Amino acid sequence: MLAIIGGSGLTQLSNLAVERREVARTPYGEPSGALTFGRLCNEPVVFLARHGYGHTIPPHLVNYRANIWALKQAKVSGIISVASVGSIRADLGPGALVVPDQIIDYTWGRESTFFEGGGTPVKHVDFTHPYDQGLRRRLIEASRLAGEVALDGGVYAATQGPRLETAAEINRFERDGADVVGMTGMPEAVLARELDIPYAALNVVVNHAAGRSASAGGIVFDDIEAMLQSAMVRVRTILDKLCHV
Ligand code: HPA
C-alpha cells in the first residue's frame, strides 16, 4: 500500500474512494491529521495532509516524525510526497513538474531523527541518494501516461520558512546547485529513510523563486494560489496513473 502525503493545495484527494479514517497515535505525538485509507485506481492507498486537513500547520511545525511513524505503523510500502516549490531555474516556470533526485537541507531546529541516543546505539543512515529510484521512475512514468512531462532529476533546497526567501538567499541556493526550493522536503525524506520506507517526491512549481520573476516586485500570493489550484488537478490525474506503472 502506497502512502501519499499531500502538501499545499492537496489537502484532499477527490479521486480517492475513502474507506475509513484512522487517528494514529505515535510515541512522537499526533500526525498532521487522521490517516485516510481508500482506493486510488483500485489500489489501496493511505493519504495524509501534511499541513492538516484545514491547512493550518506551518512547515516548521509539521510533526514529521509522527507522520512518518504513523505511516510505518500502517505498513506502507512507499511514500509519495506531493509538494509545491518555487523555481530557481529560468527554464522551469510555474506549472512545471519535477521529480527531484537530490536535496540540500537548509532547515534548522526541526526534530529530524528517530535515533536520539538515550541508551540506544548510534545509527547513521546512508543518504547519498535521498529518493527511492523505483518510486521516482513510477512518478515519471505515471506523469507520462497522464500526458505530462515531469523533469527527471533536480536538486531540492529545503528551507525553513514559513517566510519566503530573500533574493540573495535564492542566489546562494543557485550557487550551491539547487533547482527548486520548498519548505517541507526535510526532515520528511530522511525520516522515511531511517524507517526504511522508500520515498520520492513530485514537486509542483507554483512560482519563480524570490528575485527570479520577470516582474520587478515580489512574489504575488494570488498567483501562487491560482497555480496551486490548477496544478493539483493535474497531480491528481498523475496519481491516478500510479497503479498502471
Ligand atoms: N520558496 C519556498 N517554498 C516554496 C516556494 C518558494 O518560493 N514556493 C512554494 N513553496
Side-chain angles (χ1 to χ4, degrees):
M1 175 178 62
L2 270 186
I4 296 166
I5 302 182
S8 299
L10 197 72
T11 51
Q12 284 183 48
L13 268 186
S14 49
N15 45 349
L16 181 72
V18 176
E19 289 171 347
R20 68 195 161 91
R21 293 194 169 80
E22 192 179 298
V23 178
R25 309 238 173 273
T26 84
Y28 303 96
E30 289 200 10
S32 299
L35 302 185
T36 306
F37 293 85
R39 281 179 181 270
L40 196 61
C41 89
N42 229 19
E43 283 195 359
V45 295
V46 52
F47 179 80
L48 176 62
R50 182 183 288 115
H51 301 284
Y53 291 93
H55 199 265
T56 51
I57 310 169
H60 63 298
L61 295 181
V62 169
N63 192 339
Y64 296 97
R65 291 198 300 185
N67 287 352
I68 299 299
W69 193 271
L71 294 176
K72 181 75 180 180
Q73 279 176 337
K75 300 196 164 47
V76 301
S77 56
I79 298 175
I80 302 281
S81 153
V82 178
S84 66
V85 293
S87 168
I88 299 173
R89 272 167 50 173
D91 62 327
L92 287 179
L97 301 169
V98 181
V99 178
D101 63 346
Q102 278 297 330
I103 298 175
I104 302 176
D105 186 9
Y106 300 95
T107 66
W108 49 270
R110 301 183 180 189
E111 311 274 21
S112 55
T113 181
F114 291 110
F115 303 119
E116 294 199 292
T120 52
V122 174
K123 173 143 185 191
H124 303 286
V125 292
D126 173 50
F127 206 43
T128 310
H129 301 291
Y131 299 105
D132 179 77
Q133 186 61 8
L135 277 184
R136 289 190 63 255
R137 290 256 71 83
R138 284 184 68 188
L139 275 174
I140 290 162
E141 189 57 16
S143 302
R144 199 184 61 75
L145 288 182
E148 300 275 358
V149 178
L151 185 70
D152 179 358
V155 178
Y156 175 101
T159 177
Q160 178 70 359
R163 66 167 177 85
L164 294 172
E165 297 70 42
T166 67
E169 285 169 334
I170 293 300
N171 290 340
R172 173 192 171 205
F173 294 172
E174 180 172 49
R175 287 194 301 274
D176 286 353
D179 301 300
V180 294
V181 54
M183 301 177 188
T184 56
M186 286 292 284
E188 201 172 81
V190 73
L191 291 168
R193 176 61 53 85
E194 284 192 351
L195 297 186
D196 280 325
I197 310 174
Y199 177 98
L202 180 60
N203 288 158
V204 182
V205 174
V206 292
N207 60 287
H208 289 286
R212 296 302 167 103
S213 87
S215 69
I219 290 169
V220 181
F221 290 95
D222 285 350
D223 293 351
I224 292 188
E225 195 49 46
M227 186 44 71
L228 269 178
Q229 297 304 328
S230 60
M232 291 309 162
V233 175
R234 296 162 52 213
V235 166
R236 287 190 186 97
T237 311
I238 293 171
L239 296 177
D240 230 6
K241 301 286 182 209
L242 274 174
C243 67
H244 300 296
V245 294

